[in-house]
Structures are given as structure tokens and as C-alpha cells.
Amino acid sequence: MNAQPGSTKHGLAAGMKPTRADWTIDQGWDHYGPAEHATWKVLFERQSRLLPGRACDAFVQGMRDLPIAADQIPDFRRLNEVLLRRTGWQIVAVPGLVPDEVFFEHLANRRFPAGHFIRKPHELDYLEEPDVFHDVFGHVPMLMNPAIADYIQAYGAGGLRAQKLGVLAQLARVYWYTVEFGLVQQKDGLRIYGAGIASSASETLFALDDASPNRVRFDLPRVMRTHYRIDDFQETYFVINDLDELLSLASIDFAPLYAQVQHQPEFVPGQVLPDDVVLNRGTGRYHDTRRGGK
Ligand code: HBI
Ligand code: FE
């Protein structure tokens, strides 16, 4: 797969093509400088203070078992020694976002593409492309869990099929509201398992502690019909009962579901439906204010 000419979206200069067909590059660990390790440290320490009591048990356990620490950006080779042994996954370095089919092909083969660069100091709270902090701190601890490991592989395989069926948007919503922004109901309370939340200080607090967003029981066809926000906090978070619930999703044949939901109305991110099992009905205040409302 080649970069579109003139595109800089995938982190390559205009007109440049990736050297390898699968878009992987060397992490180039030796090339990180002190400023980059320092950015990692700021992010790592901030999240490490916030996540106890907020991240799910699997995340905490995965983090504990990995060679990840505050002092430096992890070396993928060292992470892979542990990860490969635990769940058969490995991390491969990429320049940034890669085309959908390249992404799915990696996941279907238990390779997680991780951005090799780290955000600049002025982007600590928000950036568009997944960097090494989001990908490694957010995703890799969860890949140490067998249920998540199988689920994300199934998503990759499902993505390749969904693309052929023209229903990628519906599948991408499932990924978004689980792997990226999912919450799980533990016995001791609501917890984060989504990497987009776990790698963001402000969204960690917003998703769990703020009165604004809705927290709704996860329902597959409902989620497939729900638009999401890529530019701001989510208006609704979907809650699973345990990580094994994702595994049961992985074995569902999505094809009949796609046929069913494809022609049904879709929902805007903040919408609460009569059939929803609502854990918290949000005030909507945060997004109302942003929209210039009340
Ligand atoms: N590429 N590196 C990277 N990381 C992603 O999370 C990613 C991607 N390409 C496509 C993509 N995600 C999504 O658009 C798909 O899940 C649909
Ligand atoms: Fe991600």
C-alpha cells in the first residue's frame, strides 16, 4: 500500500511512499533524545497518579508485568519479549496512522502498530495521530490480557471482511466504543479499559468522575449505529460487565447484524434511547457549553 501522493496525513512528507508494504519502520530507539524521554516521563507520571482506582484490574496487572517505567520511552524489543510470551502479540513501529487495510492486516496477525514518535510538549493533552504514549501506555497493557488479545485480533479479521462488505463505519464504532473508550463494571466500581481514556489525563477524569457524559450499558447493534466524536471527549461511554464479554463479541457473525443495522437510523453521540440501560444519565453540560448553548 502506498501513501496517496501529496498526502501528509500518514506522517510522511508529501508524495513519499513507505519503504515497506506493511508500513512498518524501525522504532529507532537510540534516536530518542532527552527531551522526548522527558515528555514520556511527564505523561507517564501524570497517568500513574490518576489510574489507581480508575483503570481496570487487567490494565494495572498488564502494566505491572511489562518493562515500562517513567524514566524512558520503552524499547519495543524489550516489550515484545514479555508480550509475545504472554499472549503472542507483538508491537511493530509505524510512522503514525496507517491505511485501514494495513492496520487490520497487522491486528489480524497479532501485531499492534504503534506510532514511534512522541507528541510535542505543547500537545500534551491532545493530538490527532496516535503516538508512542497513546499506543504503548494505553494499548499494550491491555494486550497482555488474553480476552483483549483475542478480541483485537478478531477485530482485525472482522475489519478486512467489513471493508469488503462496505460496513467499515459500523465496525469502527465498535472498536471506538470498546478498545478506545470502553468502561467496565468491576465489583468495586466503574473502571477504564479503553486506551483513549487511559492515555489521557483529562478524559480519565471526564469519563469516570464528571456528571456530563452518559454511561450506558454496552449493546452491540446499538453501538454499531452510534456516531462518535474524534475531536473531543465522548458524550456517551458504553459499559461492559467484564472483559470476557468482548470475547463473546469476537465469535459473533457480524454479517447478519450489518444487514440489519445498515438501513436503520443512526444516533448522534449524546443521544439516550428508550431501550438503553442507563447507568448514569449525563447532564450534557460539557458539550452544551462547547456548542455555545446554555
Ligand atoms: N493506524 N497506526 C494506526 N492506529 C490506529 O488506531 C488506526 C490506524 N489506521 C486506521 C484506524 N486506526 C481506524 O480508522 C480503523 O480502526 C477503522
Ligand atoms: Fe488507539
Side-chain angles (χ1 to χ4, degrees), residues 100-109 153-166 168 171 258:
D100 291 338
E101 62 275 21
V102 174
F103 185 62
F104 296 141
E105 185 70 35
H106 281 301
L107 299 185
N109 291 285
Q153 178 184 14
Y155 173 77
L160 294 169
R161 289 192 297 270
Q163 215 169 24
K164 295 194 184 86
L165 295 170
L168 197 54
L171 188 72
Y258 292 140

Side-chain angles (χ1 to χ4, degrees), residues 5-32:
S7 160
T8 56
K9 236 195 139 183
H10 298 122
L12 295 171
M16 268 178 74
K17 293 170 182 183
T19 331
R20 300 182 198 147
D22 68 359
W23 284 67
T24 60
I25 55 174
D26 290 326
Q27 184 190 7
W29 189 83
D30 297 328
H31 299 304
Y32 294 124

Side-chain angles (χ1 to χ4, degrees), residues 94 96-100 103-104 113 130 155 172 175 180:
V94 291
L97 280 173
V98 299
D100 291 338
F103 185 62
F104 296 141
Y155 173 77
Y175 186 83
E180 293 293 353

Side-chain angles (χ1 to χ4, degrees), residues 28-87:
W29 189 83
D30 297 328
H31 299 304
Y32 294 124
E36 292 170 310
H37 289 302
T39 298
W40 170 274
K41 186 166 194 273
V42 169
L43 294 165
F44 185 97
E45 288 181 339
R46 192 167 68 170
Q47 281 316 89
S48 300
R49 273 193 298 274
L50 283 175
L51 288 181
R54 292 197 177 90
C56 71
D57 293 342
F59 185 95
V60 174
Q61 188 62 50
M63 189 66 84
R64 201 176 287 149
D65 293 346
L66 282 163
I68 298 188
D71 56 317
Q72 54 184 13
I73 298 171
D75 185 331
F76 294 178
R77 292 168 294 197
R78 293 203 52 220
L79 293 177
N80 283 340
E81 285 171 19
V82 177
L83 185 58
L84 204 53
R85 234 184 297 127
R86 181 68 60 92
T87 57

Side-chain angles (χ1 to χ4, degrees), residues 134-135 139 180:
H134 167 78
D135 282 330
H139 285 288
E180 293 293 353

Side-chain angles (χ1 to χ4, degrees), residues 15 57 61 108 110 131 149 154 214 226 236:
D57 293 342
Q61 188 62 50
R110 284 172 114 85
D131 72 340
N214 305 306
T226 309
T236 301

Side-chain angles (χ1 to χ4, degrees), residues 203-224:
E203 193 144 5
T204 291
L205 295 173
F206 185 79
L208 280 186
D209 302 353
D210 204 283
S212 190
N214 305 306
R215 299 178 186 90
V216 174
R217 179 85 193 93
F218 180 88
D219 178 76
L220 181 60
R222 196 276 196 221
V223 166
M224 281 187 171

